[in-house]
Amino acid sequence: MQLNTIRRELYPSVMVDIAIFSVDESGLRVLLVHRANEPQKGLWALPGGFLKPDVDATLEAAARRVLIEKIGVDTPHLEEVCTFSGKDRDPRGWSISVLFFALLPRDQVQAVVKAKVDAVEWVDARNHGLAMAFDHSDHLNRAIDVLKRKVARHALPLHLMPTNFTMTALQRACEAILGLSLDKSVFRRRLKADIEKQPPEIPDLVEVAGATETGHQRPAQLYKAREGFVFLE
Amino acid sequence: MQLNTIRRELYPSVMVDIAIFSVDESGLRVLLVHRANEPQKGLWALPGGFLKPDVDATLEAAARRVLIEKIGVDTPHLEEVCTFSGKDRDPRGWSISVLFFALLPRDQVQAVVKAKVDAVEWVDARNHGLAMAFDHSDHLNRAIDVLKRKVARHALPLHLMPTNFTMTALQRACEAILGLSLDKSVFRRRLKADIEKQPPEIPDLVEVAGATETGHQRPAQLYKAREGFVFLE
DNA sequence: AGAATAGTGTCTGTCAGACAGTATCGC
DNA sequence: GCGATACTGTCTGACAGACACTATTCT
């Protein structure tokens, strides 16, 4: 087969970067990778990689592949945020980065860390204090912003939750994303309204019949995401 | 200088496409280009072109350049919608298209048509009945959707308006974008609230002192966009 | 009983929808 | 006056914020 070659300068590098979010007791967390190689060696970056047109069906598929290869997880939700482009954002030359965000249920966070212990860290998404590579600081801010806007518009980030969860746990997740505390009564009123939606409206939330979370206090009703739920406002 | 060549298959084509919207008496309009050459000759497409890394500072700059070169307008507002990518969306091979939308004031619509009379047409954005090239039908739908969402969230599409305009004209523009009719009283109440915002809040709308539009009925107060207005919810 | 968390009830202010009413122009 | 469009007033219901209250568990 004849090799079809082109001038390098006429084609930009194309990469995908992913902000994977999770929520734990200390708030909204994002996964950063410590760069072991040049360029930007020693700085922290969002996980990412180059598009491989011979392997990837689409840019989103590339993002999914990168997550599996580098981090060892397949996330339930993956969504495009925006692109970053230009001559100077990467020292290697004109490049395009397509940014995605992903949501990982908190009960899968440990699996990630175990897979690639050394180079990967879950950090506070808003206040990590690490020096970030390229324009990834902007990337992260944009990703947080998109996620926040969706939750503010009453989209429920159920992909962050384990299979069964309490209303309080869900409220904590929303609070972590929004960066403020919500009124319990108001929050529950909204969820109740969702659950009691009449067809053709479909509720996102389903009561897990009879199941309760038992702790050191009054047990709480458990809920789960509707079958086929997607995180679209 | 030595030519640095690479294998063509490892780099996708990168192009930008732009949905330019305007509003006239018959509703929301978008500019389509009749394709004179293969591929997809004879079909209608959104204006677009290949990224030129040696010329364009960013993808957005590329979109702006394409608009100026092909359509002869520099639009006040240009915003990224999303990307489309894959092996099959363009018969020439693996490609990425970054979609933008632009807003053109209605008093500049004629200028466009004059510049490139033959190959360009303003059509009803939702109901044009034309056969579209590539996946540009999806592009258009996504662009309309993003625009609509912004207006539904109370962003004012002032970039669509001429310098001075009446509240009714602005209401017609919003109605065209949303595809439904709004209550006059409700609409004006919202705008009044905007105009009377107290610092540090800044109103988007400014009353043009003394100026009225004189027609065959009661004259209407004229308004203009705030200096430095940008279309961000 | 007391601590802790689950879950409810209710008041209030804000705002959107609906729609009727008044004002001011040309003819 | 009449048609037409500009502009205002007001009633209503939905809903968010605030906050106090009750309920059920464990120790």
Side-chain angles (χ1 to χ4, degrees):
Chain A
M1 176 184 152
Q2 184 183 338
L3 276 189
N4 183 8
T5 60
I6 52 176
R7 289 179 57 202
R8 171 71 186 86
E9 318 81 74
L10 295 183
Y11 287 80
S13 310
V14 178
M15 54 189 71
V16 291
D17 291 307
I18 306 105
I20 325 178
F21 293 110
S22 193
V23 167
D24 67 9
E25 314 76 38
S26 65
L28 185 64
R29 317 286 287 184
V30 69
L31 192 73
L32 295 187
V33 179
H34 191 247
R35 289 187 62 82
N37 302 308
E38 295 294 350
Q40 312 264 359
K41 184 174 172 178
L43 299 183
W44 293 82
L46 297 175
F50 287 96
L51 170 71
K52 296 182 179 174
D54 49 343
V55 178
D56 304 317
T58 61
L59 285 162
E60 183 178 323
R64 180 152 273 124
R65 172 181 58 76
V66 166
L67 276 183
I68 294 173
E69 283 178 8
K70 293 211 174 179
I71 314 296
V73 284
D74 195 4
T75 62
H77 185 77
L78 198 55
E79 181 174 329
E80 183 176 334
V81 175
C82 64
T83 67
F84 293 81
S85 56
K87 188 161 49 69
D88 303 320
R89 55 169 300 278
D90 185 313
R92 289 164 289 191
W94 222 107
S95 67
I96 294 174
S97 161
V98 183
L99 174 63
F100 291 82
F101 78 82
L103 300 180
L104 191 69
R106 52 183 303 175
D107 51 0
Q108 288 181 42
V109 166
Q110 288 311 313
V112 172
V113 178
K114 271 181 206 143
K116 306 256 172 180
V117 186
D118 46 333
V120 136
E121 196 94 41
W122 286 100
V123 301
D124 187 304
R126 279 180 239 264
N127 202 2
H128 52 74
L130 298 177
M132 290 187 74
F134 313 112
D135 47 1
H136 283 198
S137 199
D138 298 335
H139 287 220
L140 179 53
N141 289 336
R142 287 294 301 267
I144 292 175
D145 203 57
V146 167
L147 178 57
K148 192 168 150 184
R149 280 179 129 83
K150 289 189 74 153
V151 173
R153 273 175 236 136
H154 292 182
L156 295 175
L158 302 185
H159 296 300
L160 284 175
M161 311 304 291
T163 313
N164 292 339
F165 52 87
T166 65
M167 279 202 183
T168 304
L170 180 54
Q171 184 179 342
R172 295 285 168 266
C174 290
E175 288 173 336
I177 291 168
L178 295 172
L180 47 83
S181 60
L182 302 173
D183 183 277
K184 184 169 47 163
S185 167
V186 173
F187 189 79
R188 298 172 98 94
R189 188 162 56 199
R190 247 183 53 204
L191 298 195
K192 284 278 164 63
D194 177 275
I195 290 170
E196 283 153 20
K197 279 211 280 250
Q198 300 306 322
E201 294 242 66
I202 17 163
D204 287 333
L205 223 53
V206 178
E207 194 166 316
V208 181
T212 54
E213 187 191 56
T214 161
H216 292 282
Q217 322 79 15
R218 170 171 175 181
Q221 176 62 49
L222 289 173
Y223 297 84
K224 62 179 179 182
R226 182 199 88 219
E227 188 76 28
F229 166 83
V230 278
F231 181 46
L232 300 169
E233 46 216 285
Chain B
M1 175 181 150
Q2 184 182 338
L3 276 189
N4 184 6
T5 60
I6 52 177
R7 288 180 59 203
R8 171 71 188 87
E9 319 80 74
L10 294 184
Y11 287 80
S13 310
V14 178
M15 55 188 73
V16 292
D17 291 307
I18 306 105
I20 326 178
F21 293 110
S22 193
V23 166
D24 67 10
E25 314 75 40
S26 65
L28 185 65
R29 317 286 286 184
V30 68
L31 192 74
L32 295 186
V33 179
H34 192 247
R35 289 188 62 82
N37 302 308
E38 293 296 347
Q40 312 265 358
K41 184 175 171 177
L43 299 184
W44 292 83
L46 297 175
F50 287 96
L51 169 72
K52 297 182 180 175
D54 49 342
V55 177
D56 304 317
T58 61
L59 285 162
E60 183 177 324
R64 182 152 271 123
R65 172 182 57 74
V66 165
L67 275 184
I68 294 172
E69 284 178 8
K70 292 210 174 180
I71 315 295
V73 285
D74 195 4
T75 61
H77 185 77
L78 198 54
E79 181 175 329
E80 183 176 334
V81 174
C82 64
T83 67
F84 293 81
S85 56
K87 191 161 47 69
D88 303 320
R89 55 169 300 279
D90 186 312
R92 289 164 289 190
W94 222 107
S95 66
I96 294 174
S97 161
V98 183
L99 174 63
F100 292 82
F101 78 82
L103 300 181
L104 191 69
R106 53 184 302 177
D107 52 1
Q108 287 181 43
V109 166
Q110 288 312 311
V112 173
V113 179
K114 271 182 204 141
K116 308 256 171 180
V117 188
D118 46 333
V120 137
E121 196 94 41
W122 286 100
V123 301
D124 186 304
R126 279 181 237 265
N127 201 2
H128 52 74
L130 298 177
M132 288 187 75
F134 312 113
D135 46 2
H136 283 198
S137 198
D138 297 335
H139 286 220
L140 179 53
N141 289 335
R142 288 293 303 266
I144 293 176
D145 204 54
V146 167
L147 178 58
K148 192 169 151 183
R149 280 178 129 84
K150 290 190 75 153
V151 173
R153 273 174 236 136
H154 291 183
L156 295 174
L158 302 186
H159 296 300
L160 284 174
M161 312 303 292
T163 312
N164 292 339
F165 50 88
T166 65
M167 279 202 183
T168 304
L170 180 53
Q171 183 179 341
R172 295 284 168 267
C174 290
E175 288 174 336
I177 291 167
L178 295 172
L180 47 83
S181 59
L182 303 172
D183 183 277
K184 184 167 45 165
S185 167
V186 174
F187 190 78
R188 298 171 98 93
R189 188 162 56 202
R190 248 184 51 203
L191 297 195
K192 284 277 165 60
D194 176 275
I195 290 171
E196 283 151 21
K197 279 212 279 252
Q198 301 304 323
E201 294 242 67
I202 16 162
D204 286 333
L205 223 53
V206 178
E207 193 166 314
V208 180
T212 53
E213 187 191 57
T214 159
H216 292 282
Q217 323 80 18
R218 173 173 172 179
Q221 176 64 49
L222 288 174
Y223 297 85
K224 61 180 180 183
R226 183 198 89 217
E227 189 76 26
F229 166 82
V230 277
F231 182 45
L232 301 170
E233 49 217 281

